[in-house]
Amino acid sequence: MVDHAAMPRARELPPIHRGDRGLPVLGRALDYARDPMVMFERQWSSYGEITPIRMIGRTWVVALGPDACEEILLNRQKAFANGPAWTYVVGPFFRRGLMFLDADEHLLHRRIMQQAFTRRRLEAYTTAMHPAIEDALETWGDATGFTAYPALKQLTLSIATDTFMGGAPDTSPAEMDRINRAFIDCVQSAAGIVRLNLPFTRWGRATRGRRRLERFFRHYLPSRRANRTDDLFSVLCHIESEDGERFGDDDVVNHMIFLLMAAHDTSTSTLSTMLQYLGQHPDWQQRCRDESLALGPRPTLAELEGLESLDLVMKECLRLRAPVPVVVRRATTDVDVRGIRIPAGTDVVVTPQFSHVMDTYWTHPERFDPDRFGPDRREDRAHHYAWEPFGGGVHKCLGMHFAGGEVKAVMHHLLRGHEWSVDPGYVAPINNHSLPFPNDGQPIDLRRRRQAVRGPR
């Protein structure tokens, strides 16, 4: 409990400068869409760590820098909630997913779900994903301007379906494409201006996408209830807490929709960024390839974790382009953050990506420099929250170790089987309306390595 009487009196949130109010209704939304880091830098210069901003008809508070982010994410004062803020951003489309739960309910669901991410299960998921990766990459041949992002998204959805669901054998490829589209529509609801289920709106497309996803998972639910297997869907159907608590059907469906979105969207973003920078830095690409060639075609989770150069590259790419650049919270009571009073009911934007590019903590933060994470430098230790791609506090990403294993498994197969290049001057045109992705599909010049060897069939 914080003794507010013993604390210095907090300052009121500063008023928004007239020039910072942006457009009517939209506010600064277009500035964010163009380049959120430029917008945040201006906010930092104008207001400091705790900054007001107008976006889509309302005033938000933006927390900038690792000190402010740490204070809100750790939430020691129990003053911030996830559910109300995320519900405003992406509405009912990921309702009841773990990210939307708070307090005791969140802890209960997280405790049950942790059994699906034990070391033994992560090792089993890693073994299961190798064939799916090999099958997908068989279709990646020599191509100039190969659009990697959509191909990666299709691959990661296939991995998630096989690994988390045990496959979807009676779902056609065309229907899987529609499932992929449904996930995209639900995520992109975040940029919706008209937040009603109306035709030709983001909200309307997301509403239809959510219905399709529910039908998809409910179709497979009875078989997963009836049979125990090692896939996550079955695990969620059968696991119990120490007190014998289990998930009902609605809980299982809600968690599967959220987990599959998180598992394949964020991994796609990380892989796409890694392909870009390794294509622009062939020395690092070869350094990573040499380590992968020293392993067999289907390494264990422990062997993937031992790929030191690939680990450095992954961390640097998560710094340069965090798959989730901001997270949101709502103040449930008046609360002081960094000496500023935030009123109850205020939605707060926490900005991990901004911390990742602050020159206070990083040497030449705009440069691709994986060695900054190496044992001789460890720039990420400049502050506990200088590098926070997986969030922090009780809501820190439950699947981060699965995501790391998946990304390294895909890159391991790519490095052994392919070479690629990207123009050194290329700058990805990032769409920032929701989770960031390259508008041009992330083109690379791809070549198959003829000496590539598949794993056992």
Side-chain angles (χ1 to χ4, degrees), residues 111-141:
R111 187 164 58 248
I112 297 173
M113 291 180 68
Q114 279 173 338
Q115 297 176 60
F117 291 95
T118 62
R119 180 71 184 187
R120 182 183 67 81
R121 294 196 186 279
L122 291 174
E123 289 168 348
Y125 300 153
T126 301
T127 299
M129 71 176 66
H130 285 302
I133 296 171
E134 290 171 348
D135 289 343
L137 294 184
E138 276 290 306
T139 65
W140 290 31

Side-chain angles (χ1 to χ4, degrees), residues 88-103:
Y88 177 79
V89 174
V90 287
F93 313 122
F94 297 106
R95 63 178 175 269
R96 307 289 299 164
L98 193 63
M99 185 176 71
F100 283 64
L101 304 180
D102 289 294

Side-chain angles (χ1 to χ4, degrees), residues 59-267:
T59 298
W60 300 68
V61 167
V62 179
L64 297 168
D67 289 321
C69 291
E70 178 180 23
E71 197 165 325
I72 293 170
L73 292 177
L74 290 183
N75 196 19
R76 292 190 176 98
Q77 300 181 54
K78 309 296 186 207
F80 294 99
N82 273 37
W86 281 115
T87 297
Y88 177 79
V89 174
V90 287
F93 313 122
F94 297 106
R95 63 178 175 269
R96 307 289 299 164
L98 193 63
M99 185 176 71
F100 283 64
L101 304 180
D102 289 294
D104 291 343
E105 185 179 37
H106 168 258
L107 292 176
L108 170 63
H109 282 238
R110 188 179 180 97
R111 187 164 58 248
I112 297 173
M113 291 180 68
Q114 279 173 338
Q115 297 176 60
F117 291 95
T118 62
R119 180 71 184 187
R120 182 183 67 81
R121 294 196 186 279
L122 291 174
E123 289 168 348
Y125 300 153
T126 301
T127 299
M129 71 176 66
H130 285 302
I133 296 171
E134 290 171 348
D135 289 343
L137 294 184
E138 276 290 306
T139 65
W140 290 31
D142 296 356
T144 299
F146 176 75
T147 49
Y149 185 86
L152 286 168
K153 199 164 193 313
Q154 187 178 48
L155 167 59
T156 57
L157 181 59
S158 175
I159 294 171
T161 303
D162 285 351
T163 306
F164 283 4
M165 292 185 59
D170 56 349
T171 300
S172 69
E175 178 60 16
M176 286 308 300
D177 286 343
R178 288 189 282 270
I179 293 297
N180 194 12
R181 183 69 246 175
F183 276 118
I184 293 170
D185 288 340
C186 288
V187 169
Q188 293 192 347
S189 67
I193 297 172
V194 177
R195 295 176 172 253
L196 298 170
N197 180 17
L198 296 174
F200 312 112
T201 65
R202 289 177 183 263
W203 214 254
R205 288 192 292 273
T207 300
R208 293 189 294 277
R210 169 72 192 202
R211 290 180 189 144
R212 182 178 293 277
L213 293 174
E214 287 202 22
R215 288 195 301 270
F216 175 69
F217 287 107
R218 289 189 187 279
H219 171 72
Y220 290 100
L221 186 62
S223 66
R224 299 312 189 269
R225 286 287 192 198
N227 300 289
R228 286 178 177 266
T229 56
D230 278 338
D231 60 89
L232 181 65
F233 200 174
S234 178
V235 171
L236 291 180
C237 286
H238 295 281
I239 55 178
E240 296 182 355
S241 71
E242 293 177 355
D243 298 323
E245 296 146 315
R246 298 179 63 180
F247 289 140
D249 287 357
D250 289 346
D251 285 329
V252 172
V253 169
N254 289 330
H255 284 311
M256 285 300 297
I257 290 174
F258 174 72
L259 285 170
L260 253 74
M261 178 280 294
H264 88 279
D265 253 17
T266 55
S267 295

Side-chain angles (χ1 to χ4, degrees), residues 316-363:
E316 176 70 340
C317 288
L318 286 168
R319 182 189 71 82
L320 287 164
R321 192 179 304 154
V324 184
V326 302
V327 297
V328 293
R329 300 288 189 267
R330 180 170 294 175
T332 57
T333 184
D334 289 359
V335 59
D336 300 349
V337 177
R338 306 297 297 164
I340 300 291
R341 188 180 72 87
I342 298 177
T346 303
D347 285 333
V348 179
V349 181
V350 184
T351 59
Q353 180 68 80
F354 185 72
S355 300
H356 291 183
V357 295
M358 296 179 71
D359 56 15
T360 304
Y361 304 99
W362 305 96
T363 304

